[in-house]
Amino acid sequence: MNIKQLEKASATYYTGSPIMTDAEFDAAIAELRQNDPDHPFLKRIGAPTPGTVKAKHQIPMGSLANANNEKELKTWILRCELAIPHSTSALCLSHKLDGSSLELIYENGSFVQAITRGDGEEGEDVTKNVLLSRNVPLSVNPSITSVRCECLIHKKDWAEHFGGDANPRNSAAGTLRRHDGKNAQYLRFYAFDMMVNGDVPNSETTRMLVLAKWFNVPNNLFVSSNEKAYLPEHTQLGYTINWCKEQETKRDNFPYEIDGVVVKIDNREISEQLGITDNRPKGQIAVKFEPRGGETILNNVVWQVGHTGEITPVGKVNPVGVGGVTVRSANLYNTDEIERLGIRIGDTVEVVRAGDVIPKVTKLVCSSTDGVEIKPPKKCPECGSKTEKDGVRLYCQNRWCGGRSFARVMTWIKKRNILHIGEGLVESAAIDETRQLYVLSYADWARVKVGNGVWGKKRASSVVAALEKSKNVTLADFLGSIGIPGIGRTLTRQLCDSLDDRPNSQLTLSDMFQLLPSLIMKQAGFGESRANDFCNWLKEYREEISDLALFMNFEEEVKMESDNRQFDGEVICFTGKSPRPRVEMSQLAESAGASVSSSVSSKTTILVIADVESQSKKAVKAREMGVRLMSPEDFLDFCGI
């Protein structure tokens, strides 16, 4: 029996209309295994039950940075052009599908495995349900080894067959992982990237055309221009924005859900030269659509304590559908925002999902005659300590507040991307300090009481594995994950890079405890406030940080070109007002590789000015000399501030 007959027999078996008996199929498989034991078909028919086996990706599956408005899209283009001139002269635009990312593996042109995105490094093997769907090609060009796609359910199928589910995305994710394969026939797969052996298409548009021979692909468009992409009047930028707006107005007409547009530099080689930050390629960005809102009643306001001690109000609302998700809580940010909105408990309000993710209250729709004023707490809701207001923010001043400690634990879990551990499990395990995550044994996790039962051995095994993985960390990532106010991993990497200039020794946590704000300001271009926050936090929580560090396996930082070298070789002149003191702006420029001049000259390459449309003498002179004009906000964005 040839392989084509086996392919057909396998496909008809999964659709419920087999063309041969189980015995005949087993005999044919045994014959193939004897004659060609390494044939990829044998791997496919032996696929495990979805959700039971983990599998590693051939290449890490990262995500994309977002642009939530035109300004952020323009900033992305500016950043690309500053790094590599004319890099955005050709762009590939495509729908950002609202589904679950998946990798399809092919060997010698034959489909062998499907893996969910998971944590980006490994995911779940869902090969059987992908086969049941009948919506992926079992054979492709032998040069294709891996295809990245989005798994989704068409809106029509969802409405007819998935009553009660919140949205098509959730239905697709759940169906993909079902053990019984129910409703797998409604899964659809849209390809958007691939790996091949031999010559690789260097154009994103060409890749999409190649993929379209075998797969569904999302709507896409190629945009090209010979103009300088960083100029305000750049027609390509305008065309890109217009196409994004057009797709947003038409989104209800497409068979699938979309929540934005993916914009890629078409030249793959140039895109890869720009590099990656936090598993996000710099040569690509997701332009997000305006969030959709819903009207509901504000029933209550609860006050939550964060890891810095800030107390924020969260509105509890009647369940309302927003963008396919049922929302019950919405962010109110601070007391000034509550006053600005003019809302009271009992009022009808509008709720949107910012970036289609985080629900927030955006406006008052209708006032209630029985509305109750929202009053900020005078005492911390967690520890009872007196609260104090600093600007628009409300704080608990007790540094050992249980709410603050709990929030620091959750910050670490989020920053280190530790899977399988949520707030409920942390509360049930009575964890109030981050190091306790690593103190608990496998048996301890298995015995944690959850609901009417316990967490159990299987889930405890997943938790322990995730925690073990999180122990491998660089010093910079460790410092950027412990919750220092206003300081994340990008800034701690910049700091460590600027300090670690010793050829035969490695920077240690002990070194960081000895730092003074003045040295940080000098070496890394940190402002005074941020430098003080960094040093004070390490001093205040030194014991807690040191205890946590004992469980870590510190790795040496892989030396790469730092994000803060965005201005290598540039000569920058600052003029007019800016959000930061002039001396700090100059320090940031110098730490990013630039020289600073006090006036516009023939050597000046960038003028940072409050109003880029200004007609001042300095601005006019700069334009005449071909100098780029940049706002202070864009400058700070380039610096990662």
Side-chain angles (χ1 to χ4, degrees), residues 1 18 27 42 87 156 309 349 363 406 422 460-461 515 557 585 593:
M1 182 177 293
L42 297 173
S87 57
K156 181 180 178 182
V349 298
K363 69 179 181 181
F406 179 83
S461 179
L515 288 178
E557 187 81 50
M585 299 286 276

Side-chain angles (χ1 to χ4, degrees), residues 62-65 76 148 263 271-272 274-285:
S63 55
L64 296 180
W76 172 74
R148 186 169 176 182
V263 181
S271 181
E272 290 175 352
L274 289 170
I276 296 174
T277 298
D278 293 333
N279 283 331
R280 291 174 169 83
K282 295 181 181 178
Q284 304 177 19
I285 197 164

Side-chain angles (χ1 to χ4, degrees), residues 536-601:
N536 289 340
W537 189 271
L538 292 187
K539 181 180 179 181
E540 190 170 5
Y541 293 103
R542 178 167 182 164
E543 183 177 352
E544 183 177 316
I545 294 168
S546 298
D547 287 345
L548 175 61
L550 293 175
F551 294 92
M552 299 297 109
N553 302 318
F554 284 103
E555 301 173 334
E556 188 171 354
E557 187 81 50
V558 178
K559 293 295 181 181
M560 299 176 65
E561 185 175 351
S562 175
D563 288 345
N564 71 335
R565 305 299 296 179
Q566 292 280 7
F567 296 106
D568 265 341
E570 303 285 355
V571 178
I572 300 178
C573 175
F574 295 93
T575 186
K577 296 180 179 180
S578 69
R580 301 291 180 93
R582 180 69 57 82
V583 63
E584 184 178 340
M585 299 286 276
S586 297
Q587 288 173 342
L588 285 169
E590 290 171 350
S591 68
S595 300
V596 178
S597 64
S598 58
S599 60
V600 175
S601 68

Side-chain angles (χ1 to χ4, degrees), residues 415-439:
K415 293 279 189 179
R416 297 297 301 137
N417 193 28
I418 303 174
L419 303 179
H420 313 296
I421 304 179
E423 290 187 2
L425 182 59
V426 172
E427 289 178 344
S428 298
I431 293 171
D432 56 15
E433 195 173 319
T434 308
R435 69 177 183 85
Q436 293 173 352
L437 291 168
Y438 302 94
V439 171

Side-chain angles (χ1 to χ4, degrees), residues 209-258:
L209 292 174
V210 172
L211 284 169
K213 294 180 181 179
W214 291 280
F215 298 88
N216 291 321
V217 296
N219 286 11
N220 60 88
L221 177 74
F222 173 70
V223 182
S224 178
S225 172
N226 293 321
E227 299 181 39
K228 295 181 178 179
Y230 53 79
L231 294 179
E233 63 271 19
H234 176 50
T235 56
Q236 181 177 331
L237 174 61
Y239 199 93
T240 299
I241 291 171
N242 289 338
W243 196 75
C244 291
K245 289 181 177 178
E246 181 184 355
Q247 303 313 298
E248 184 170 10
T249 60
K250 294 179 178 179
R251 65 191 297 187
D252 291 332
N253 299 328
F254 301 127
Y256 44 64
E257 292 281 3
I258 64 173

Side-chain angles (χ1 to χ4, degrees), residues 478-489:
F478 176 83
L479 293 170
S481 301
I482 58 178
I484 304 174
I487 297 178
R489 288 168 292 182

Side-chain angles (χ1 to χ4, degrees), residues 493-507:
R493 287 170 192 159
Q494 292 178 13
L495 175 61
C496 289
D497 283 347
S498 67
L499 295 172
D500 194 9
D501 55 0
R502 298 163 298 177
N504 298 316
S505 62
Q506 186 176 345
L507 200 64

Side-chain angles (χ1 to χ4, degrees), residues 434-508:
T434 308
R435 69 177 183 85
Q436 293 173 352
L437 291 168
Y438 302 94
V439 171
L440 294 183
S441 66
Y442 163 78
D444 293 331
W445 283 110
R447 288 194 296 264
V448 172
K449 293 183 178 180
V450 180
N452 295 324
V454 295
W455 192 242
K457 294 180 179 180
K458 185 176 180 180
R459 289 188 289 184
S461 179
S462 298
V463 167
V464 171
L467 287 169
E468 282 297 317
K469 184 177 179 180
S470 71
K471 290 180 179 180
N472 301 318
V473 64
T474 64
L475 177 61
D477 281 352
F478 176 83
L479 293 170
S481 301
I482 58 178
I484 304 174
I487 297 178
R489 288 168 292 182
T490 298
L491 289 177
T492 53
R493 287 170 192 159
Q494 292 178 13
L495 175 61
C496 289
D497 283 347
S498 67
L499 295 172
D500 194 9
D501 55 0
R502 298 163 298 177
N504 298 316
S505 62
Q506 186 176 345
L507 200 64
T508 67

